[in-house]
Amino acid sequence: MADDCIFCKIVAGDIPGRTVYETDEVLAFLDANPLSAGHTLVVPKEHAERLDDLSGAEASELFAAVHELTPRVESAVDADAVTVGINDGSAAGQEVPHVHVHLVPRFEGDGGGPIHAVAGERPDLSDDELDDIADDIAE
Ligand code: 5GP
Ligand code: ZN
């Protein structure tokens, strides 16, 4: 548990959360400031700030919970879809430095956008640049 981490405190039961799912490794609870009805956060119980700080096993447990919960959340609020996302790092909008997956129920005509709406200006990349980036990621 990390000092002053709000999600560690929810995991520990020191501050209240509306828990919707729990395993030995993962907890899910409703977001306190929901973007839509049913907005749920899925967190590893062990404190980790970024995705890269999770072990492979922890990441698998986290995604297994996301896989299990996404249809449950969708049907609980009678949504049409779910946006699943992680703000991984402050430049991506992460405000709580404890890994969390957002499950945001979506409704036809809700006025929201796709994941593509989150980034800023699109880069104009040449084929060579795209090849280099792909190589760097694949290495
Ligand atoms: P981030 O911007 O870090 O990806 O998202 C943090 C999320 O945590 C926000 O959607 C915010 O509403 C939620 N949040 C912040 N503090 C609390 C809290 O004390 N309890 C709960 N349930 N959610 C919180
Ligand atoms: Zn924490």
Side-chain angles (χ1 to χ4, degrees), residues 6-7 10 15-17 29-34 39 41 87 93-96 100 102:
I6 197 109
F7 289 171
I10 291 175
I15 64 168
F29 49 88
L30 294 187
D31 193 293
N33 296 292
H39 182 175
L41 301 174
N87 294 321
Q94 183 176 9
E95 290 184 352
V96 177
H100 50 283
H102 291 265

Side-chain angles (χ1 to χ4, degrees), residues 21-27 45 61 65:
Y21 180 85
E22 182 167 16
T23 68
D24 287 346
E25 290 84 13
V26 174
L27 188 74
K45 285 185 170 176
E61 295 288 348

